[in-house]
Amino acid sequence: MEYSNSELLTVNAARLLRDEDVVFVGVGLPNLACNLAMHTHAPNLVMIYEAGVIGARPSRLPLSIGDPTLVSGATAVCSMYDIFSFYLQRGNVDVGFLGGAQIDRFGNINATVIGDYENPKTRLPGSGGSMEIAGWANRCYIITPHQKRRFPEKVDFITSAGFLNGQGERQTSGARGGGPQAVVTHLCIMTPDETGELTLTALHPGVTVEEVQQNTGWLLKLAPKITVTEQPTSEELRILREELDPDGIYLK
Amino acid sequence: MEYSNSELLTVNAARLLRDEDVVFVGVGLPNLACNLAMHTHAPNLVMIYEAGVIGARPSRLPLSIGDPTLVSGATAVCSMYDIFSFYLQRGNVDVGFLGGAQIDRFGNINATVIGDYENPKTRLPGSGGSMEIAGWANRCYIITPHQKRRFPEKVDFITSAGFLNGQGERQTSGARGGGPQAVVTHLCIMTPDETGELTLTALHPGVTVEEVQQNTGWLLKLAPKITVTEQPTSEELRILREELDPDGIYLK
Amino acid sequence: MSKLCSLKEAIQNNVHDGDLLYAAGFTHLIPFAAAHEIIRQGIKDLTVARATPDLIYDMLTAAGCVKKIIFSYMGNPGVGSLRIMRKAIEEKQVEWEEYSHYGMISRLQAGATGLPFIPMNPTAAPSLEKANPNIKRLVDPYTQKEVIVVPPLLPDVAIVHVQRADIHGNAQIWGIVGEQKEAAFASKRVIVTAEEIVDETVIRSDPNRTVIPSFVVSAVCHVPFAAHPSYTQGYYDRDNPFYLGWDEVSKTDESIKAWLDEWVYGVADRETYWQKLGDETHERLHVKDNFSAPINYGDY
Amino acid sequence: MSKLCSLKEAIQNNVHDGDLLYAAGFTHLIPFAAAHEIIRQGIKDLTVARATPDLIYDMLTAAGCVKKIIFSYMGNPGVGSLRIMRKAIEEKQVEWEEYSHYGMISRLQAGATGLPFIPMNPTAAPSLEKANPNIKRLVDPYTQKEVIVVPPLLPDVAIVHVQRADIHGNAQIWGIVGEQKEAAFASKRVIVTAEEIVDETVIRSDPNRTVIPSFVVSAVCHVPFAAHPSYTQGYYDRDNPFYLGWDEVSKTDESIKAWLDEWVYGVADRETYWQKLGDETHERLHVKDNFSAPINYGDY
């Protein structure tokens, strides 16, 4: 079956989730990935939104983080201070999804500024909650298209921490979370090695190592054994297309 | 009209309240005093209870700080953390009522222990919220029977701060509240002078300076002009007896 | 995933000798049923923490379950002294650690939010700070003034009584909400006892009312009247005569032992206890309905 | 004591040139009507703080009301860039001060609770801390590890839109409660706009629902549909086409000016604005009822 890059990303993100995970989720692809996981192998997934919604059961596709459909039918709603402190900072969040304008060799993310902070070339939205998600969720996954400009060797600004400059620098920082566990792109999956450096560990069907390397801004480390991901199943695609995003808002 | 000591205390406490005051109130006489003030000169008084109740309108006499009658019909209920932080610490409480086993020359209160802290002669309940009320309410009033053992020159343990050792020591402590503005007993009213020392400023009808002095554990300072309080009016007594405490639970 | 089980099982699986226990509920929803089950199971050497030990910790102390008490106000609310705990402290039969209410609640707030401390402003009162080395000072880096700090309280187990919960543990409370949320989030394990177990759809019809989410809960037990002699807003009243009567019961070792024998060891569970209280008490504690104005969440 | 007045009066009396303004509401209940009135009154040199500036501060910036922006996420939610503010920052037409969401909300929490700072745990991300000298570090006296601290945010005026309030200012919110409470308690003055002004008895029938008490409120205004194009849970939906359309409107100075002329300067108040939106929009934003399960407080 044919599938789009967005579908490929979403399916692979969904597969990283475990049943009963508590996931801090944004709108767009991460939201679709969580809903897909709930419809397949993770029926007891708990979705948390930074607006303070817990256990959302959206009856339509939420178009913003504050869509009222996230509230109607949720198990709990709390204040913003509480969602960040009682939930995220306390260690009650298993998984966070992240994205950004730039991701570097050690999984650091820039969502703040291209160029100098005080004299921005391009001003981006900034952290929102992603600094805390990256710091405190037990596991983080970065979901992003794979383009060379998105993968510089070093980001201009570390909005959200990966492994900083590697070699255990994150561990000594005092941040409780495990950091990025995988970067899922439309070409491949990269996971950090023991020094925190992103390493190519799996290719999507039909993608070559060269293709990945050409779209990455540094000499990408290769795992001793590079696997190939299972392609999206017809059931996964059916759920995405028929149930979750029938208008193709995010998956076109 | 005849009246009991408790009625005298309650009436004089009520008269210290101003319309629209936000009062942090406990059960017993302070609760009666607030209700009396609401029925007379302070209809817009707001009563706050440390259990997290705001704007209570109890339809029966509350017998504990957590009486459910405080909740039904209140304007707001919040958590204990919130009542102490958003309300009291933030400076939203105008008046606090306090009492204790011992009150000293500078209005410090002991509600913790008679004797040594580690080897208590008599163990008392401890602070509860009174340490914070004494520290942070804009004005505090101490309501207490007048007995020599209750008024030692120096308390064994400062559970709630008055003016410490006087001479501006409270001011340098960093506590935001104004401290005790008056001590109302069944004999008199004492108010702190500019050094924070309790000073006899008013006698209740028929009470002499000597009587007060005999029941006080230090040589009590006298104001240049000592006034006499207006005796409880028949209307005040009627409200107390008929409407607020018809069974005489607190006022007998 | 259902976490529903009997209170007996919940205590067996989640409360162990030597644990730090927080039985939550400021004056309201005090989980007496769970405390009685702890006594029946003979659990020992507990460190028990509560802002107000109330009768619930007086009972645990009387039954020999308590090694240490952490508290901020040790009285029989509206009545007077808490005789058993007071005597235990005066005679040094238990260890104790003491805060003000706000200090105590700040410790829970720090525990619940994963912080190493929470600041509070100075109150000018010096004695407790001198008596308790856990209370420290820090200099505010913005104003150079001093603040008071307290460390997190991280109980092994919290017990929280609620009006209604679903089988997953999503729990809703109204009336005085005290420190229930903070206690649950601060603790490693959480036992919820509920007046009613409701369908998940009831919880989901009013998400703003949910205080405790399922995933911090270890066990959910259906225990009506679990808070007697305290109360459950909308379900039953506070048993004031019981609180007054405890002042008598707790005067001698003999009367305490007789009470425990009759009302704790002598009953199998809360259902038996409630029936034993009898019709006159049931009637006295009954409350008439008084419903809130409806809330429209909208069908989005 | 009634605090009811028109929105025009409320803004005149409580928002002044040079004020620090916090228009609250995280994605929900954003007080657009009040912002439009601020624009109409030509108030200048505001420092505007919000976690998410959203379209509301884009509009204020476009109208020349803003001197400085304090924020944590500057995007058009679900759409993309916030063009006007972004350009103002890139071209240094406004000053800015930036936090993460939790840093921003911690500043409000500190302000609302009267604390000189609130600690948060380290996130490992270094750049923002370097860029903003307001973000400092302290050593935790219990573990000797470092925490991050931020100072209180103390706005001159907060504007909070709510579902229902009484004439005294007691206000209830459901759905996403965001940072409304914190903003109100942190601020010197508070303007409440409400979909409905209800009798005090409605508020008192459900005290747990009250987020803001009367005595921190300066003015209460009855302004139905005040949150459009954002939404009010249970009252109307979010106007997504408006958010998408803003991406076009905000592309050129001409189209921005035309929009302000037509929809802000050209209308007298929110009632006129809402009528001007027309039946098709009213119908599109209409939501069906969906009521919560009832709550029994009991008649004590």
Side-chain angles (χ1 to χ4, degrees), chain D residues 25 60 109 140 188 197 201 222-223 272 286:
Chain D
L60 284 176
Q109 171 85 0
D140 165 33
K188 288 195 196 82
I197 301 296
T201 55
H222 183 215
V223 191
T272 319
H286 178 76

Side-chain angles (χ1 to χ4, degrees), chain B residues 19 37 43 47 66 68 79-80 86 96 108 119 131 133 155 166 205 207 211-212 215 238 242 245 252:
Chain B
D19 199 18
M47 292 199 281
S79 73
M80 230 175 136
F86 286 75
N108 303 299
N119 301 285
M131 179 190 288
I133 298 170
V155 292
V207 180
E211 204 177 337
V212 172
N215 288 283
R238 188 196 63 73
E242 292 178 18
D245 189 12
K252 57 195 167 194

Side-chain angles (χ1 to χ4, degrees), chain B residues 23-231:
Chain B
V23 189
F24 213 87
V25 53
V27 292
L29 299 192
N31 178 68
L32 288 171
C34 290
N35 275 287
L36 177 58
M38 280 184 78
H39 281 70
T40 53
H41 65 287
N44 299 302
L45 201 74
V46 178
M47 292 199 281
I48 292 191
Y49 294 80
E50 68 183 10
V53 181
I54 296 111
R57 289 279 168 84
S59 64
R60 69 184 187 203
L61 194 60
L63 296 179
S64 94
I65 199 74
D67 196 304
T69 193
L70 295 173
V71 168
S72 292
T75 43
V77 176
C78 68
S79 73
M80 230 175 136
Y81 185 75
D82 281 6
I83 202 82
F84 279 96
S85 51
F86 286 75
Y87 289 80
L88 189 52
Q89 183 170 250
R90 179 66 175 106
N92 285 314
V93 172
D94 296 305
V95 176
F97 279 112
L98 297 166
Q102 296 181 326
I103 296 125
D104 74 13
R105 186 168 172 173
F106 289 102
N108 303 299
I109 297 177
N110 176 13
T112 302
V113 67
I114 306 294
D116 178 56
Y117 181 75
E118 295 295 340
N119 301 285
K121 195 177 141 203
T122 305
R123 177 64 224 200
L124 304 166
S127 164
S130 66
M131 179 190 288
E132 285 86 18
I133 298 170
W136 303 335
N138 294 335
R139 293 142 42 211
C140 279
Y141 299 115
I142 300 172
I143 313 296
T144 180
H146 206 134
Q147 299 147 341
K148 196 157 193 160
R149 63 175 176 86
R150 283 190 185 264
F151 285 99
E153 181 160 9
K154 221 171 160 60
V155 292
D156 294 358
F157 190 99
I158 301 181
T159 308
S160 311
F163 297 94
L164 302 171
N165 296 302
Q167 308 291 358
E169 209 179 311
R170 183 189 170 102
Q171 277 68 16
T172 60
S173 74
R176 67 168 304 286
Q181 305 298 296
V183 180
V184 179
T185 78
H186 71 281
L187 298 179
C188 67
I189 296 177
M190 294 172 281
T191 54
D193 68 6
E194 67 287 350
T195 74
E197 180 170 348
L198 292 183
T199 305
L200 179 61
T201 46
L203 293 164
H204 293 315
V207 180
T208 64
V209 171
E210 292 64 37
E211 204 177 337
V212 172
Q213 184 59 71
Q214 280 163 17
N215 288 283
T216 305
W218 69 91
L219 185 62
L220 184 62
K221 212 170 179 177
L222 307 182
K225 186 173 175 303
I226 296 172
T227 59
V228 176
T229 66
E230 199 195 332
Q231 68 174 21

Side-chain angles (χ1 to χ4, degrees), chain D residues 97-196:
Chain D
E97 188 181 312
E98 185 172 3
Y99 298 87
S100 63
H101 269 354
Y102 191 48
M104 186 77 179
I105 298 302
S106 292
R107 288 202 62 188
L108 270 188
Q109 171 85 0
T113 60
L115 287 170
F117 65 86
I118 283 266
M120 53 183 275
N121 285 328
T123 63
S127 304
L128 196 55
E129 192 180 339
K130 278 187 205 124
N132 183 345
N134 252 351
I135 304 172
K136 295 186 188 288
R137 288 188 173 233
L138 268 185
V139 175
D140 165 33
Y142 302 98
T143 64
Q144 314 312 320
K145 289 178 187 160
E146 287 188 341
V147 296
I148 311 291
V149 295
V150 288
L153 186 69
L154 298 163
D156 295 301
V157 56
I159 303 174
V160 179
H161 186 58
V162 307
Q163 275 102 339
R164 63 187 187 195
D166 65 22
I167 60 169
H168 312 293
N170 295 298
Q172 300 190 328
I173 293 175
W174 53 97
I176 290 168
V177 288
E179 78 309 43
Q180 326 273 32
K181 180 179 71 175
E182 292 78 4
F185 276 89
S187 299
K188 288 195 196 82
R189 299 181 297 278
V190 178
I191 298 171
V192 167
T193 63
E195 290 293 328
E196 293 189 74

Side-chain angles (χ1 to χ4, degrees), chain C residues 195-211:
Chain C
E195 290 293 327
E196 292 190 73
I197 301 295
V198 296
D199 192 83
E200 196 179 324
T201 54
V202 174
I203 301 293
R204 289 184 183 272
S205 83
D206 196 0
N208 284 101
R209 195 79 77 181
T210 305
V211 171

Side-chain angles (χ1 to χ4, degrees), chain C residues 29-108:
Chain C
L29 298 168
I30 305 178
F32 278 95
H36 291 186
E37 184 57 32
I38 288 171
I39 293 173
R40 276 193 291 272
Q41 294 191 15
I43 296 168
K44 296 271 174 271
D45 294 327
L46 295 174
T47 294
V48 293
R50 261 181 74 83
T52 57
D54 204 279
L55 273 47
I56 189 172
Y57 285 177
D58 228 22
M59 291 172 184
L60 283 175
T61 304
C65 306
V66 174
K67 189 182 70 179
K68 180 178 176 180
I69 167 83
I70 305 176
F71 71 100
S72 48
Y73 182 86
M74 193 189 57
N76 180 339
V79 179
S81 189
L82 212 52
R83 295 183 186 280
I84 298 167
M85 298 233 58
R86 175 180 159 180
K87 188 170 166 231
I89 288 180
E90 285 176 354
E91 299 182 357
K92 299 197 168 186
Q93 290 153 359
V94 295
E95 302 165 41
W96 80 92
E97 187 179 314
E98 185 172 2
Y99 299 86
S100 63
H101 270 353
Y102 191 47
M104 186 76 180
I105 297 302
S106 291
R107 288 202 61 189
L108 270 188

Side-chain angles (χ1 to χ4, degrees), chain A residues 146 183 185 187-192 197-204 207-210 212-213 216 220-227:
Chain A
H146 205 134
V183 180
T185 77
L187 298 179
C188 68
I189 298 178
M190 295 172 280
T191 55
E197 181 171 348
L198 293 184
T199 304
L200 179 60
T201 46
L203 292 164
H204 294 315
V207 179
T208 64
V209 171
E210 291 65 37
V212 172
Q213 185 57 72
T216 305
L220 183 63
K221 212 170 178 177
L222 306 182
K225 187 171 173 304
I226 296 172
T227 59

